[in-house]
Structures are given as C-alpha cells and as structure tokens.
Short mmCIF file of all heavy atoms in Angstrom, two decimals:
data_model
loop_
_atom_site.label_atom_id
_atom_site.label_comp_id
_atom_site.label_asym_id
_atom_site.label_seq_id
_atom_site.Cartn_x
_atom_site.Cartn_y
_atom_site.Cartn_z
N ALA T 1 -6.59 1.15 -9.09
CA ALA T 1 -6.68 0.93 -7.64
C ALA T 1 -7.80 1.86 -7.04
O ALA T 1 -8.55 1.43 -6.15
CB ALA T 1 -5.33 1.16 -6.94
N ALA T 2 -7.72 3.16 -7.43
CA ALA T 2 -8.71 4.05 -6.92
C ALA T 2 -10.07 3.71 -7.27
O ALA T 2 -11.12 3.75 -6.58
CB ALA T 2 -8.42 5.46 -7.47
N ALA T 3 -10.30 3.15 -8.54
CA ALA T 3 -11.63 2.70 -9.05
C ALA T 3 -12.08 1.47 -8.20
O ALA T 3 -13.21 1.38 -7.75
CB ALA T 3 -11.68 2.32 -10.50
N LEU T 4 -11.13 0.56 -7.90
CA LEU T 4 -11.51 -0.54 -7.00
C LEU T 4 -11.92 -0.11 -5.65
O LEU T 4 -12.78 -0.83 -5.05
CB LEU T 4 -10.30 -1.45 -6.86
CG LEU T 4 -9.93 -2.35 -8.10
CD1 LEU T 4 -8.49 -2.99 -7.97
CD2 LEU T 4 -11.00 -3.41 -8.30
N ASN T 5 -11.43 0.98 -5.15
CA ASN T 5 -11.91 1.53 -3.82
C ASN T 5 -13.43 1.77 -3.87
O ASN T 5 -14.08 1.78 -2.82
CB ASN T 5 -11.10 2.79 -3.53
CG ASN T 5 -9.76 2.61 -2.90
OD1 ASN T 5 -9.43 3.32 -1.91
ND2 ASN T 5 -8.99 1.70 -3.40
N VAL T 6 -13.87 2.05 -5.06
CA VAL T 6 -15.37 2.45 -5.26
C VAL T 6 -16.19 1.21 -5.60
O VAL T 6 -17.20 0.93 -4.99
CB VAL T 6 -15.42 3.53 -6.23
CG1 VAL T 6 -16.96 3.90 -6.45
CG2 VAL T 6 -14.72 4.80 -5.86
N VAL T 7 -15.76 0.49 -6.73
CA VAL T 7 -16.52 -0.56 -7.25
C VAL T 7 -16.35 -1.89 -6.58
O VAL T 7 -17.14 -2.78 -6.65
CB VAL T 7 -16.35 -0.72 -8.71
CG1 VAL T 7 -16.68 0.60 -9.40
CG2 VAL T 7 -14.86 -1.16 -9.17
N GLU T 8 -15.22 -2.00 -5.74
CA GLU T 8 -15.00 -3.19 -4.94
C GLU T 8 -14.65 -2.76 -3.54
O GLU T 8 -13.58 -3.16 -3.01
CB GLU T 8 -13.96 -4.21 -5.49
CG GLU T 8 -14.01 -5.55 -4.96
CD GLU T 8 -12.97 -6.43 -5.46
OE1 GLU T 8 -12.62 -6.27 -6.66
OE2 GLU T 8 -12.57 -7.44 -4.79
N PRO T 9 -15.44 -1.99 -2.86
CA PRO T 9 -15.10 -1.44 -1.51
C PRO T 9 -15.04 -2.50 -0.51
O PRO T 9 -14.65 -2.27 0.64
CB PRO T 9 -16.14 -0.36 -1.23
CG PRO T 9 -17.31 -0.96 -1.94
CD PRO T 9 -16.82 -1.55 -3.28
N THR T 10 -15.58 -3.71 -0.86
CA THR T 10 -15.57 -4.76 0.15
C THR T 10 -14.18 -5.29 0.35
O THR T 10 -14.02 -6.18 1.25
CB THR T 10 -16.49 -5.86 -0.34
OG1 THR T 10 -16.03 -6.24 -1.76
CG2 THR T 10 -18.00 -5.48 -0.43
N SER T 11 -13.19 -4.91 -0.46
CA SER T 11 -11.84 -5.53 -0.32
C SER T 11 -10.80 -4.53 -0.17
O SER T 11 -9.62 -4.90 0.15
CB SER T 11 -11.58 -6.34 -1.57
OG SER T 11 -12.62 -7.36 -1.81
N THR T 12 -11.00 -3.27 -0.45
CA THR T 12 -9.98 -2.29 -0.46
C THR T 12 -10.46 -0.89 -0.17
O THR T 12 -11.64 -0.69 -0.33
CB THR T 12 -9.29 -2.34 -1.83
OG1 THR T 12 -8.02 -1.46 -1.78
CG2 THR T 12 -10.09 -1.84 -2.97
N GLY T 13 -9.50 0.00 0.14
CA GLY T 13 -10.01 1.47 0.42
C GLY T 13 -8.86 2.29 0.75
O GLY T 13 -7.77 1.92 1.14
N LEU T 14 -9.25 3.58 0.82
CA LEU T 14 -8.24 4.63 1.16
C LEU T 14 -7.70 4.47 2.62
O LEU T 14 -6.68 5.03 2.98
CB LEU T 14 -8.88 6.07 1.08
CG LEU T 14 -8.74 6.63 -0.28
CD1 LEU T 14 -9.70 7.81 -0.49
CD2 LEU T 14 -7.30 7.16 -0.51
N GLY T 15 -8.55 3.76 3.42
CA GLY T 15 -8.09 3.61 4.87
C GLY T 15 -7.09 2.40 5.07
O GLY T 15 -6.87 2.08 6.17
N GLY T 16 -6.65 1.91 3.93
CA GLY T 16 -5.65 0.72 4.04
C GLY T 16 -4.21 1.13 3.59
O GLY T 16 -3.79 2.29 3.60
N ASP T 17 -3.52 0.06 3.12
CA ASP T 17 -2.18 0.24 2.70
C ASP T 17 -1.98 -0.13 1.20
O ASP T 17 -2.86 -0.87 0.62
CB ASP T 17 -1.20 -0.65 3.56
CG ASP T 17 -1.15 -0.17 5.05
OD1 ASP T 17 -1.25 0.99 5.20
OD2 ASP T 17 -0.96 -1.09 5.88
N VAL T 18 -0.74 0.20 0.65
CA VAL T 18 -0.59 -0.09 -0.81
C VAL T 18 0.96 -0.41 -1.02
O VAL T 18 1.72 0.10 -0.30
CB VAL T 18 -1.04 0.96 -1.71
CG1 VAL T 18 -0.33 2.31 -1.49
CG2 VAL T 18 -0.95 0.63 -3.14
N PHE T 19 1.17 -1.45 -1.91
CA PHE T 19 2.48 -1.93 -2.25
C PHE T 19 2.63 -2.05 -3.65
O PHE T 19 1.63 -2.34 -4.37
CB PHE T 19 2.83 -3.18 -1.51
CG PHE T 19 2.63 -3.12 -0.07
CD1 PHE T 19 1.46 -3.32 0.58
CD2 PHE T 19 3.79 -2.87 0.81
CE1 PHE T 19 1.32 -3.38 1.97
CE2 PHE T 19 3.64 -2.84 2.15
CZ PHE T 19 2.39 -3.02 2.70
N ALA T 20 3.81 -1.91 -4.23
CA ALA T 20 4.13 -2.25 -5.61
C ALA T 20 5.37 -2.83 -5.87
O ALA T 20 6.42 -2.60 -5.14
CB ALA T 20 4.06 -0.90 -6.46
N LEU T 21 5.48 -3.69 -6.89
CA LEU T 21 6.82 -4.17 -7.52
C LEU T 21 6.65 -3.85 -8.94
O LEU T 21 5.70 -3.97 -9.58
CB LEU T 21 6.88 -5.72 -7.35
CG LEU T 21 7.53 -6.24 -6.09
CD1 LEU T 21 7.55 -7.78 -6.07
CD2 LEU T 21 8.89 -5.78 -5.93
N TYR T 22 7.81 -3.34 -9.46
CA TYR T 22 7.67 -2.80 -10.91
C TYR T 22 9.09 -2.92 -11.60
O TYR T 22 10.12 -3.04 -11.05
CB TYR T 22 7.24 -1.32 -10.82
CG TYR T 22 8.22 -0.39 -10.04
CD1 TYR T 22 9.36 0.11 -10.60
CD2 TYR T 22 7.94 -0.17 -8.77
CE1 TYR T 22 10.13 1.01 -9.92
CE2 TYR T 22 8.70 0.70 -7.98
CZ TYR T 22 9.84 1.29 -8.57
OH TYR T 22 10.68 2.16 -7.86
N ARG T 23 8.94 -2.88 -12.93
CA ARG T 23 10.10 -2.68 -13.79
C ARG T 23 9.78 -1.49 -14.69
O ARG T 23 8.66 -1.48 -15.25
CB ARG T 23 10.28 -3.97 -14.67
CG ARG T 23 11.51 -3.69 -15.72
CD ARG T 23 11.47 -4.66 -16.84
NE ARG T 23 12.61 -4.58 -17.70
CZ ARG T 23 12.72 -3.66 -18.76
NH1 ARG T 23 11.80 -2.88 -18.98
NH2 ARG T 23 13.89 -3.68 -19.47
N THR T 24 10.60 -0.48 -14.81
CA THR T 24 10.38 0.65 -15.64
C THR T 24 10.91 0.37 -17.05
O THR T 24 11.64 -0.49 -17.31
CB THR T 24 11.07 1.99 -15.04
OG1 THR T 24 12.52 1.72 -15.05
CG2 THR T 24 10.59 2.16 -13.57
N ALA T 25 10.45 1.26 -17.96
CA ALA T 25 10.87 1.15 -19.34
C ALA T 25 12.43 1.25 -19.52
O ALA T 25 12.95 0.60 -20.45
CB ALA T 25 10.13 2.23 -20.11
N ASP T 26 13.10 1.92 -18.64
CA ASP T 26 14.55 2.05 -18.69
C ASP T 26 15.23 0.93 -17.96
O ASP T 26 16.48 0.97 -17.76
CB ASP T 26 15.00 3.36 -18.22
CG ASP T 26 14.71 3.71 -16.81
OD1 ASP T 26 14.23 2.84 -16.13
OD2 ASP T 26 14.91 4.91 -16.44
N GLY T 27 14.47 0.00 -17.44
CA GLY T 27 15.15 -1.18 -16.92
C GLY T 27 15.27 -1.26 -15.31
O GLY T 27 15.80 -2.14 -14.74
N GLU T 28 14.87 -0.13 -14.66
CA GLU T 28 14.95 -0.20 -13.24
C GLU T 28 13.96 -1.19 -12.55
O GLU T 28 12.76 -1.15 -12.97
CB GLU T 28 14.58 1.27 -12.72
CG GLU T 28 14.57 1.32 -11.14
CD GLU T 28 13.99 2.58 -10.61
OE1 GLU T 28 13.54 3.50 -11.36
OE2 GLU T 28 13.79 2.74 -9.37
N VAL T 29 14.29 -1.94 -11.69
CA VAL T 29 13.53 -2.83 -10.94
C VAL T 29 13.40 -2.32 -9.49
O VAL T 29 14.44 -2.09 -8.83
CB VAL T 29 14.08 -4.26 -10.94
CG1 VAL T 29 13.18 -5.21 -10.07
CG2 VAL T 29 14.18 -4.81 -12.31
N GLY T 30 12.28 -2.15 -9.09
CA GLY T 30 12.06 -1.47 -7.78
C GLY T 30 10.81 -1.85 -7.03
O GLY T 30 9.94 -2.61 -7.53
N ALA T 31 10.56 -1.35 -5.84
CA ALA T 31 9.47 -1.56 -5.05
C ALA T 31 8.97 -0.29 -4.29
O ALA T 31 9.86 0.51 -4.04
CB ALA T 31 9.74 -2.71 -4.01
N MET T 32 7.80 -0.26 -4.03
CA MET T 32 7.24 0.81 -3.20
C MET T 32 6.47 0.16 -2.10
O MET T 32 5.54 -0.70 -2.33
CB MET T 32 6.32 1.78 -4.07
CG MET T 32 5.92 2.97 -3.29
SD MET T 32 4.34 2.82 -2.43
CE MET T 32 3.15 2.57 -3.70
N ARG T 33 6.74 0.69 -0.88
CA ARG T 33 5.96 0.11 0.36
C ARG T 33 5.37 1.37 1.04
O ARG T 33 6.06 2.27 1.41
CB ARG T 33 6.99 -0.52 1.30
CG ARG T 33 6.35 -0.97 2.55
CD ARG T 33 7.28 -1.90 3.37
NE ARG T 33 8.53 -1.34 3.71
CZ ARG T 33 9.69 -1.96 3.98
NH1 ARG T 33 9.63 -3.31 3.95
NH2 ARG T 33 10.79 -1.28 4.30
N SER T 34 4.04 1.34 1.11
CA SER T 34 3.30 2.45 1.76
C SER T 34 2.37 1.90 2.77
O SER T 34 1.13 1.69 2.57
CB SER T 34 2.61 3.21 0.71
OG SER T 34 2.18 4.50 1.20
N CYS T 35 2.94 1.57 3.93
CA CYS T 35 2.07 0.95 5.03
C CYS T 35 2.50 1.65 6.35
O CYS T 35 3.67 1.80 6.69
CB CYS T 35 2.21 -0.50 5.19
SG CYS T 35 3.84 -1.12 5.68
N GLY T 36 1.51 2.14 7.07
CA GLY T 36 1.76 2.83 8.34
C GLY T 36 1.86 1.88 9.50
O GLY T 36 1.63 0.64 9.45
N GLY T 37 2.31 2.52 10.61
CA GLY T 37 2.57 1.61 11.81
C GLY T 37 1.50 1.94 12.90
O GLY T 37 0.49 2.61 12.69
N ALA T 38 1.82 1.45 14.07
CA ALA T 38 0.83 1.68 15.22
C ALA T 38 1.06 3.10 15.73
O ALA T 38 2.08 3.71 15.57
CB ALA T 38 1.18 0.72 16.38
N PRO T 39 0.01 3.72 16.32
CA PRO T 39 0.05 5.00 16.88
C PRO T 39 1.10 5.11 17.98
O PRO T 39 1.50 4.08 18.53
CB PRO T 39 -1.33 5.29 17.43
CG PRO T 39 -2.23 4.34 16.69
CD PRO T 39 -1.45 3.11 16.37
N ALA T 40 1.59 6.33 18.13
CA ALA T 40 2.71 6.50 19.08
C ALA T 40 2.35 6.18 20.60
O ALA T 40 3.25 5.72 21.33
CB ALA T 40 3.19 7.96 19.09
N ASP T 41 1.06 6.22 20.90
CA ASP T 41 0.63 5.83 22.22
C ASP T 41 0.15 4.39 22.39
O ASP T 41 -0.34 3.95 23.39
CB ASP T 41 -0.44 6.81 22.78
CG ASP T 41 0.14 8.20 22.98
OD1 ASP T 41 1.27 8.30 23.29
OD2 ASP T 41 -0.62 9.08 22.87
N ALA T 42 0.20 3.60 21.23
CA ALA T 42 -0.34 2.28 21.26
C ALA T 42 0.74 1.27 21.79
O ALA T 42 1.32 0.55 21.09
CB ALA T 42 -0.71 1.89 19.87
N THR T 43 0.92 1.36 23.13
CA THR T 43 1.76 0.29 23.73
C THR T 43 0.94 -0.86 24.21
O THR T 43 -0.27 -0.83 24.25
CB THR T 43 2.42 0.96 24.97
OG1 THR T 43 1.29 1.36 25.97
CG2 THR T 43 3.29 2.18 24.68
N ILE T 44 1.59 -1.90 24.51
CA ILE T 44 0.86 -3.07 25.02
C ILE T 44 0.05 -2.81 26.14
O ILE T 44 -1.08 -3.18 26.37
CB ILE T 44 1.82 -4.32 25.25
CG1 ILE T 44 2.31 -4.80 23.88
CG2 ILE T 44 1.08 -5.39 25.93
CD1 ILE T 44 3.38 -5.94 23.96
N GLU T 45 0.68 -2.07 27.11
CA GLU T 45 0.05 -1.69 28.39
C GLU T 45 -1.19 -0.82 28.18
O GLU T 45 -2.24 -1.00 28.75
CB GLU T 45 1.04 -1.01 29.32
CG GLU T 45 2.28 -1.85 29.71
CD GLU T 45 3.25 -2.09 28.63
OE1 GLU T 45 3.23 -1.26 27.65
OE2 GLU T 45 4.05 -3.04 28.75
#
C-alpha cells in the first residue's frame, strides 16, 4: 500500500483512508476500519 502511494499516486495516498478484511493464521476473522470524519466545525450552516 505504501509503495502504491508512490508509484500509483493517481489513485491513493497518505491523505486518504484505509480498510482491511482478514483471516489470521490462527483462524481469527476480522476487519480494520481507518477512516476519519468531518471536522468539528464542519456544520451544514
């Protein structure tokens, strides 16, 4: 993913979000969600 930030910067980057679905060697099935929200002062008004 980090390399893609450099060699395919047209599609991805450190300024974005990242997610994962996975199965570990010991059988755990899990997910990682790393996406931020709107700023605290970003109201519609």
Side-chain angles (χ1 to χ4, degrees):
L4 284 165
N5 277 223
V6 179
V7 300
E8 193 179 335
T10 53
S11 302
T12 187
L14 272 165
D17 293 329
V18 63
F19 302 87
L21 272 177
Y22 59 85
R23 179 201 185 273
T24 66
D26 61 8
E28 177 192 355
V29 178
M32 190 271 294
R33 176 169 59 202
S34 194
C35 66
D41 290 332
T43 64
I44 290 175
E45 295 75 19

